[in-house]
Amino acid sequence: MVTPVEGPCPCDSGLTYADCCEPLHDGRAGAETAERLMRSRYAAYAVGRTDHVFRTWHPRTRPADVEPTPGLRWTGLTVLAAEAGGADDAEGTVEFEAAYETAEGPGTLHERSRFVRRGPRWVYVDGDEP
């Protein structure tokens, strides 16, 4: 289910959703960096735009289905580090913590995500816990 977003973007960029991740989610813009793509993917999970998550996952590692986990609500993102992944790079890594809440209580996902360029676009390859 897509959640309407008014106000700040869930990716914690400080911009509004309309000026930040919404253009990426709608396909009107592309991510310039691996970190930007990671932030847009987090925001996509937060607002239910799994179509964006699917489109930005490398086809070799993408699951058949990227449906959200029922009852899980994403509540905050902290980027801890970004290595490479710039406008002139072919690959990059972004380490982050994403806070969430479930019926069982709050939790945190800590991941180092790997990204590569496929043509002009960044795509998510995989991630692991540091």
Side-chain angles (χ1 to χ4, degrees), residues 2-82:
V2 176
T3 304
V5 179
E6 299 273 335
C9 190
C11 82
D12 290 334
S13 66
L15 300 172
T16 65
Y17 176 68
D19 291 332
C20 190
C21 288
E22 186 175 41
L24 279 74
H25 294 172
D26 290 344
R28 294 179 280 133
E32 314 82 39
T33 66
E35 179 179 339
R36 182 80 177 92
L37 180 61
M38 187 280 306
R39 286 180 176 279
S40 76
R41 288 172 54 85
Y42 168 83
Y45 278 113
V47 302
R49 292 294 305 265
T50 54
D51 58 321
H52 176 72
V53 174
F54 188 84
R55 279 194 319 272
T56 59
W57 207 314
H58 196 291
R60 280 185 297 123
T61 58
R62 178 175 55 214
D65 187 13
V66 293
E67 289 303 309
T69 303
L72 185 141
R73 186 172 64 89
W74 295 102
T75 59
L77 176 67
T78 302
V79 175
L80 302 172

